[in-house]
Amino acid sequence: MRKSSVGSLAVCLVLAASVPLALAQGSYTQIDYPGARFTAAVGINGAGDVVGGYYIGSEQHGFVFSGGSFTAIDVPGATNTAATGINDTGSISGYFSTNGGHYHGFLFDGQEFEVLDFPGAAQTFALGINNAAQVVGYYADFNRQVHGFEYSNNSFVTIDFPGSLSTLPSGINNSDYVVGYYYDANGNRHSFVFTPLGTFRHWGQDVLAFGVNDHNTIVGFKFEEDFGFRFHPGRKLYVRMQVPHSLQTICFGINATGRRVVGRYSDAGGNVHGFIWTPPADAAKK
């Protein structure tokens, strides 16, 4: 059993109409990898370093954006690489594919890549990471069933929402809270929280949770309405995140203080850009 305090997360179990809705104020800074047709910012750490993925042609590559400059991340020998999370020590999680089309997770410490393959899985995708280098993601078995996992201390643990067709964890904080989403027997999408005590909590339909920080603030995406969100349990406030004039905004990651959110958005021309959101007080200091 996972051991820790349940904390204050219990107040944010249901994203309902009764929860106040606000529009996020602040600044959205566009980031585009040079020459890329598609850029997505997916993870951010306490120092403001951002990781994500970009496409040039049909090939996907990972990146780190730090100090205003990009550095590409490619697993040696891979056909595609995506960086999905970064912690405060600079360790990066992600996934890559090979010529055979098989996907593998990875953990990169800045020097070496550690391949993360769930035992017996056909495909493995590593997504979120915390400062203890615990990694969450999902894997597909050879029956094409999708299961979540947590990787810690060189071992894997399966995470399956009870009764679900598939479970896809995507974020983990330093208190070992995991957020993600699952598909029920009817194919409907729901978000969930998996607590350090090993219990699941349903968190609303057609709302996808992607990231969680140490204040248990959750970011993600609302289907049908095509906007991102930020939900802070202490304030009991559901905040709409939308890049001005975008067709769709998705929030993937949030830093420890909650003063930076990263994601991607699409414009009217069909281009996809990464973004970094900062609140009004921080934006005014620039």
Side-chain angles (χ1 to χ4, degrees), residues 13-212:
L13 303 185
V14 180
L15 190 63
S18 60
V19 176
L21 174 66
L23 181 64
Q25 304 299 309
S27 173
Y28 294 89
T29 301
Q30 178 177 317
I31 60 171
D32 290 310
Y33 194 94
R37 62 179 179 85
F38 176 110
T39 303
V42 183
I44 184 169
N45 67 9
D49 302 321
V50 177
V51 296
Y54 68 94
Y55 279 90
I56 292 182
S58 60
E59 294 184 352
Q60 184 181 27
H61 308 268
F63 70 79
V64 177
F65 181 70
S66 179
S69 62
F70 287 92
T71 301
I73 298 175
D74 287 305
V75 176
T79 54
N80 292 282
T81 300
T84 55
I86 182 168
N87 67 14
D88 289 345
T89 68
S91 292
I92 295 169
S93 56
Y95 56 87
F96 68 97
S97 66
T98 58
N99 285 325
H102 296 290
Y103 280 89
H104 313 265
F106 72 78
L107 181 59
F108 181 52
D109 64 3
Q111 299 294 324
E112 297 181 351
F113 288 91
E114 177 186 357
V115 177
L116 304 183
D117 279 332
F118 193 96
Q123 315 272 4
T124 302
F125 297 83
L127 300 177
I129 184 172
N130 65 12
N131 287 343
Q134 295 171 294
V135 176
V136 294
Y138 63 94
Y139 69 94
D141 62 27
F142 284 93
N143 293 319
R144 298 185 178 180
Q145 295 296 307
V146 175
H147 311 268
F149 72 81
E150 180 177 329
Y151 175 80
S152 179
N153 297 321
N154 298 313
S155 64
F156 289 87
V157 175
T158 296
I159 299 175
D160 278 334
F161 193 96
S164 65
L165 288 179
S166 56
T167 303
L168 298 91
S170 49
I172 182 171
N173 70 12
N174 291 319
S175 297
D176 205 15
Y177 284 99
V178 176
V179 298
Y181 61 100
Y182 69 93
Y183 287 83
D184 65 22
N186 296 317
N188 298 312
R189 300 159 294 215
H190 309 262
S191 279
F192 70 81
V193 175
F194 186 50
T195 76
L197 296 178
T199 58
F200 284 95
R201 291 163 181 176
H202 171 269
W203 199 56
Q205 184 171 327
D206 286 333
V207 178
L208 305 188
F210 289 130
V212 59

Side-chain angles (χ1 to χ4, degrees), residues 174-252:
N174 291 319
S175 297
D176 205 15
Y177 284 99
V178 176
V179 298
Y181 61 100
Y182 69 93
Y183 287 83
D184 65 22
N186 296 317
N188 298 312
R189 300 159 294 215
H190 309 262
S191 279
F192 70 81
V193 175
F194 186 50
T195 76
L197 296 178
T199 58
F200 284 95
R201 291 163 181 176
H202 171 269
W203 199 56
Q205 184 171 327
D206 286 333
V207 178
L208 305 188
F210 289 130
V212 59
N213 72 0
D214 291 344
H215 298 292
N216 295 329
T217 302
I218 298 172
V219 294
F221 176 67
K222 179 70 171 70
F223 270 97
E224 308 300 336
E225 300 178 57
D226 284 338
F227 64 78
F229 69 83
R230 188 175 83 255
F231 185 76
H232 194 291
R235 296 168 60 193
K236 300 182 181 179
L237 182 65
Y238 177 55
V239 181
R240 178 178 178 138
M241 308 282 293
Q242 189 166 28
V243 176
H245 311 299
S246 67
L247 298 182
Q248 182 188 74
T249 300
I250 303 176
C251 298
F252 289 119

